[in-house]
Amino acid sequence: MGLKSIKFGNTSDLHLRHPVSDAPLYNDDGTPMIITLAGEHSEDYKAVTRRWQNDMLRRPNRKLNADQVEERSLDLLVAVTKGWAIQWEEGQMLPFSPQAARELYADREHAWIKQQVEQHVYEASNFLGESLRA
């Protein structure tokens, strides 16, 4: 296998896991609770980070406070979230939208979801084809 054959896919599905037992989570219909994500190699990710870099270059003495850093983290996660299949309550799926993603990731009671999303996005092997993971 040559290096040229190793390529990232556009997205990857994160199968959510229970924050305590680590058991995979499923919707009532038996389908996995998934969040579809783009990785740090993606154009969506790079567009957000380029915007930040350009902003910092225009105003080199600008300092960010903790709230701004947290907002940027949310901006990045929202940009790489492409969809999901998540049951929020019994019999009720959570509709996907960028605003819903922002609210979910900012929800302190469900911080474990944001943590799993971050870990998935930054693990390059999640975005390689199945045959290349071995």
Side-chain angles (χ1 to χ4, degrees):
M1 167 190 338
L3 289 179
K4 189 174 181 177
S5 67
I6 301 172
K7 296 180 181 176
F8 288 113
N10 292 327
T11 61
S12 173
D13 288 339
L14 161 65
H15 188 163
L16 289 175
R17 302 183 80 79
H18 190 279
V20 176
S21 70
D22 200 40
L25 297 173
Y26 293 89
N27 299 308
D28 283 346
D29 66 3
T31 59
M33 287 194 192
I34 60 164
I35 299 177
T36 302
L37 300 162
E40 67 179 322
H41 66 282
S42 70
E43 189 54 40
D44 297 302
Y45 183 100
K46 289 178 182 181
V48 172
T49 57
R50 262 190 235 109
R51 187 175 67 238
W52 296 343
Q53 289 168 346
N54 286 334
D55 185 47
M56 296 305 283
L57 289 170
R58 279 191 295 277
R59 297 181 282 179
N61 295 326
R62 179 179 179 212
K63 294 190 173 148
L64 298 176
N65 63 37
D67 290 335
Q68 291 168 316
V69 170
E70 187 173 331
E71 253 332 281
R72 285 186 171 198
S73 170
L74 288 174
D75 289 346
L76 194 54
L77 294 181
V78 169
V80 299
T81 302
K82 301 302 167 193
W84 60 42
I86 300 173
Q87 183 174 326
W88 190 245
E89 295 182 78
E90 191 171 328
Q92 181 184 350
M93 298 299 284
L94 182 62
F96 172 75
S97 70
Q99 183 59 36
R102 178 174 295 283
E103 290 169 8
L104 180 63
Y105 299 151
D107 180 357
R108 302 274 186 235
E109 289 184 27
H110 296 91
W112 57 273
I113 296 173
K114 180 182 178 212
Q115 181 182 29
Q116 288 182 32
V117 167
E118 288 171 329
Q119 288 173 346
H120 192 87
V121 166
Y122 292 110
E123 179 54 53
S125 66
N126 290 326
F127 298 92
L128 294 173
E130 288 297 322
S131 63
L132 298 174
R133 291 187 192 180

